[in-house]
Amino acid sequence: IEDFRERFDFYCVANKIKNEGDNLRRKKALFITMLGHSTFSKLKVLASPMSISDLSMEAIMELLVGHYKPQTIEIAERFKFFKRMQKPSEPVVEFMSELRKLAKSCNFGEYLKTALRDQFVCGLKDAKCQQELLSIADLTVEVAQPKAQAAEVIALETRSMKEPG
């Protein structure tokens, strides 16, 4: 629901729909009509006994977020993050993307870049690349990912040159 809301906000900016007066009512009406059938039906149930038309946009979002995005437990989310390893056929770029996705619910704050770097390096399937990254004293996630991607490309190219073709 949060992704939908974010896309909807971009839609409103692109169409110059502001958060004031008639535009606010129009924005709410557009948002509700853009909801899928099942989400609209769920919203009606969540709003009951009130009518959706009586709710503010903020109240509608609170109901939807409360239903579709229940509160997470930080330690459980961090557990998933720190257990994540690169899968056998998963490209480096996808592995990092998944780590970033998992990190969103971990509440790392200032520690985010360090956590991403550490788990990225620890979770890499390529032991040689991992060893090279571990030898870099001031390694950052911005340096680690391109180096791992380059190692991945080199390994693929080397493998393809050795295969009879």
Side-chain angles (χ1 to χ4, degrees), residues 90-138:
E90 183 177 40
V92 166
V93 70
E94 288 298 316
F95 175 50
M96 178 56 86
S97 177
E98 285 299 310
L99 286 177
R100 289 184 185 281
K101 183 177 168 185
L102 289 169
K104 285 177 109 178
S105 56
C106 291
N107 195 27
F108 283 129
E110 297 289 321
Y111 181 65
L112 175 62
K113 284 187 176 189
T114 302
L116 282 170
R117 179 207 57 196
D118 293 355
Q119 191 55 35
F120 178 74
V121 173
C122 293
L124 282 175
K125 65 183 177 196
D126 182 342
K128 183 180 177 210
C129 177
Q130 195 176 50
Q131 190 174 17
E132 288 175 16
L133 292 174
L134 287 169
S135 70
I136 301 172
D138 57 350

Side-chain angles (χ1 to χ4, degrees), residues 22-73:
D22 282 342
N23 274 328
L24 190 56
R25 284 199 314 269
R26 183 172 175 231
K27 185 175 182 176
K28 179 179 136 184
L30 279 169
F31 180 82
I32 290 169
T33 58
M34 289 179 167
L35 293 175
H37 175 73
S38 62
T39 306
F40 177 76
S41 296
K42 182 57 70 178
L43 178 59
K44 283 175 63 174
V45 170
L46 294 171
S48 182
M50 294 183 71
S51 169
I52 295 172
S53 59
D54 295 332
L55 297 175
S56 68
M57 186 72 171
E58 291 76 27
I60 289 169
M61 279 309 298
E62 281 180 29
L63 288 172
L64 292 172
V65 168
H67 178 74
Y68 288 108
K69 189 182 178 235
Q71 191 68 25
T72 59
I73 300 170

